[in-house]
Amino acid sequence: MKVFKFGGASVKDADSVRNMCSIIKTYINDPLVVIVSAMGKTTNALEHLLSLTMEEQDSSKAFDKIRTFHLAIASDLGLSSDEKLNLELAEIFEQLENGLNEFSSSMGYDYMYDQTVSLGEVLCTKIISAHLTNEGITNTWLDARKVLRTDDLHRQAKVDWGASQAMIKSHVNQIEEGIVLTQGFIGSNSDFKSTTLGREGSDFSAAIFATSLNAESVTIWKDVPGVLNADPKKFDKTKLYKRLPYKEAAEMTYYGASVIHPKTIKPLAQKGIPLYVRSFQNPDNEGTVIEESIVPNLAPAIIHKDKQTVMSFKISDFSFINEHHIHLIFEHIKRLNLTINLMQNSAISFTICMDDNPKKREQLRTALIEEFLIYYNEGLEMITVKNYNQKTINQLMTDKEIIIEQRSRNNFQMVYKIG
């Protein structure tokens, strides 16, 4: 059993779907589970649609744009006369429209987000299933919401591993012929209400299915040749890692490398399932394999994060920062579900760097204003260099106003302002 995951960029239009189909045909004789994200920028479009609804603005144009986009792809794939597909798509759009019409503030944004945005994956996989059938590829459409069980934490749902593994095994093992086609990113709670695993969570879905089925491997098909040591859109002369140890890949995702969802590595490493990252544009290339291995002389990994905020908490009476103060700060950070990307303390202050979130930043400031003098800088950028060398650091520090600089034996981090 192999597990493939295709992201939104790999199914953004009819030609992309055809390309995906050609990749699947190459592995048609292998037992295969295929996990797919929403098409193109559909998730963004559904988020926008929900925002308009919440703000009580006219959302009809946004709704029609989403519907037209999907129907156009179906038409380009020659599926306009597929009555079964047309009925299924109409039912999904009706469900979406009815859900938005019934929205009330008492439901909560996160709950409505999951009920709305999750339908992007459902729409996509219905179209792809029909296309695969049209191409002679036997497939079974599986609703991930029926087999991937989570808790009630909408938008960041935690997986019920025992229930999910049992249901995934049961449903997939009943399918005797063809590939299994299902959705990434989505699941459901014990009340069968849709939940999502966090933005870009389809990689994590692939790991959940793979570990549940004791898969031979997972392959994530991307628009890059594999795992690079830096984002080619931001840095020149990037290098491809042909092989990465699980530990290195996990640390890269922790620091913000976006090529793989942060929760993907751990379950695969625990079961020893290799993860391949390959290009859907050049499917014959080997890409990167992430597995238990020793790889000497790894090129420095450069991980960039923009939209950063630095907050400093200073003791107002000139006493020293102690465990009580740090505990108090972390208590509110946990309550607000904030993630710290870097922290640093001196005798009288404690400083953190986190992703920009003006609303939560103000909530944190308000909660602690009586205990500390609080200062912050927003609109900053951050670079982490794993396995750094001084030459790389010198190049990266050029023309930057450094706010925080920190280094350990293997990692270098800096938060800075440009211009």
Side-chain angles (χ1 to χ4, degrees):
M1 174 73 68
K2 294 179 180 177
V3 174
F4 282 1
K5 179 263 174 173
F6 290 89
S10 64
V11 289
K12 65 182 180 180
D13 53 31
D15 285 341
S16 300
V17 174
R18 292 187 187 98
N19 182 64
M20 172 195 171
C21 181
S22 68
I23 292 172
I24 290 173
K25 282 181 177 178
T26 306
Y27 298 87
I28 199 65
N29 293 323
D30 295 321
L32 196 61
V33 173
V34 179
I35 293 168
V36 189
S37 302
M39 289 175 155
K41 300 295 183 181
T42 297
T43 300
N44 291 345
L46 287 166
E47 288 174 342
H48 177 60
L49 178 64
L50 179 58
S51 295
L52 291 174
T53 302
M54 289 185 63
E55 295 163 5
E56 298 183 354
Q57 298 184 35
D58 182 10
S59 61
S60 57
K61 289 183 179 178
F63 183 91
D64 288 342
K65 186 175 181 181
I66 294 169
R67 178 163 49 192
T68 300
F69 171 74
H70 286 87
L71 294 179
I73 291 176
S75 176
D76 288 348
L77 291 170
L79 301 172
S80 295
S81 60
D82 187 325
E83 293 184 6
K84 178 174 178 289
L85 175 63
N86 289 333
L87 180 59
E88 289 173 336
L89 296 182
E91 289 176 348
I92 297 167
F93 286 120
E94 183 179 5
Q95 180 184 346
L96 174 60
E97 188 170 29
N98 290 341
L100 292 171
N101 289 338
E102 293 169 4
F103 171 78
S104 70
S105 56
S106 63
M107 294 177 178
Y109 176 79
D110 290 351
Y111 169 81
M112 278 305 301
Y113 181 98
D114 284 359
Q115 311 320 303
T116 302
V117 175
S118 60
L119 294 178
E121 275 68 18
V122 179
L123 285 166
C124 174
T125 49
K126 285 292 186 182
I127 293 171
I128 289 173
S129 178
H131 176 65
L132 291 173
T133 299
N134 222 26
E135 291 294 308
I137 300 175
T138 303
N139 69 95
T140 299
W141 185 89
L142 175 63
D143 191 339
R145 295 169 297 181
K146 290 186 176 180
V147 297
L148 204 161
R149 185 68 69 243
T150 74
D151 65 4
D152 296 324
L153 185 60
H154 291 285
R155 297 188 68 196
Q156 288 288 342
K158 292 181 173 58
V159 177
D160 182 335
W161 284 93
S164 296
Q165 289 178 335
M167 288 189 290
I168 288 170
K169 283 181 186 176
S170 174
H171 280 73
V172 172
N173 289 340
Q174 289 178 27
I175 298 168
E176 298 179 352
E177 185 181 3
I179 70 167
V180 177
L181 179 69
T182 190
Q183 308 80 36
F185 176 58
I186 67 175
S188 68
N189 61 23
S190 57
D191 294 325
F192 304 102
K193 298 297 184 182
S194 296
T195 57
T196 61
L197 305 178
R199 214 51 161 86
E200 310 298 334
S202 294
D203 294 353
F204 186 32
S205 297
I208 296 166
F209 272 82
T211 54
S212 301
L213 298 166
N214 292 314
E216 172 188 337
S217 64
V218 174
T219 302
I220 297 175
W221 296 92
K222 305 278 291 185
D223 58 355
V224 291
V227 179
L228 303 172
N229 75 317
D231 186 342
K233 297 174 184 175
K234 295 184 173 70
F235 300 96
D236 297 328
K237 300 178 180 178
T238 57
K239 298 178 180 179
L240 173 70
Y241 296 115
K242 291 187 176 181
R243 187 178 302 275
L244 272 176
Y246 289 124
K247 179 176 178 292
E248 287 290 331
E251 289 187 1
M252 287 169 65
T253 64
Y254 171 80
Y255 288 116
S258 60
V259 69
I260 305 165
H261 189 275
K263 295 180 180 179
T264 305
I265 302 297
K266 181 181 176 180
L268 297 179
Q270 288 176 330
K271 286 225 172 176
I273 298 172
L275 171 62
Y276 294 88
V277 182
R278 299 175 62 185
S279 168
F280 62 77
Q281 296 165 334
N282 298 288
D284 292 333
N285 294 352
E286 292 183 357
T288 302
V289 58
I290 300 169
E291 61 184 357
E292 190 61 50
S293 59
I294 298 173
V295 183
N297 303 316
L298 279 172
I302 304 168
I303 302 146
H304 173 269
K305 296 191 79 171
D306 57 8
K307 298 180 181 177
Q308 299 294 293
T309 292
V310 165
M311 292 189 77
S312 294
F313 305 88
K314 185 174 287 189
I315 301 298
S316 56
D317 63 1
F318 298 100
S319 60
F320 297 134
I321 283 279
N322 58 36
E323 289 80 4
H324 165 74
H325 299 121
I326 295 174
H327 174 78
L328 183 62
I329 294 168
F330 271 89
E331 191 173 56
H332 289 287
I333 287 171
K334 180 181 179 181
R335 176 177 63 82
L336 293 169
N337 198 29
L338 292 167
T339 299
I340 296 177
N341 299 324
L342 180 150
M343 56 187 173
Q344 192 172 81
N345 69 285
S346 66
I348 62 171
S349 69
F350 185 74
T351 299
I352 61 172
C353 175
M354 59 188 182
D355 295 345
D356 273 336
N357 188 321
K359 181 180 178 180
K360 289 190 175 183
R361 181 190 68 216
E362 184 58 25
Q363 289 175 329
L364 182 61
R365 191 191 71 83
T366 301
L368 295 168
I369 194 67
E370 293 185 6
E371 294 282 340
F372 304 95
L373 298 172
I374 301 174
Y375 308 91
Y376 67 85
N377 300 84
E378 57 187 339
L380 304 176
E381 301 188 25
M382 177 179 176
I383 284 178
T384 301
V385 187
K386 279 189 53 58
N387 308 311
Y388 67 87
N389 55 53
Q390 194 58 47
K391 180 182 177 182
T392 301
I393 291 173
N394 292 341
Q395 292 172 342
L396 292 171
M397 293 180 75
T398 303
D399 299 325
K400 296 179 178 68
E401 181 183 340
I402 309 298
I403 307 297
I404 303 176
E405 177 185 337
Q406 200 172 89
R407 68 178 76 196
S408 62
R409 183 175 298 173
N410 296 313
N411 301 328
F412 171 84
Q413 291 181 289
M414 64 178 181
V415 183
Y416 60 93
K417 185 189 301 182
I418 294 182

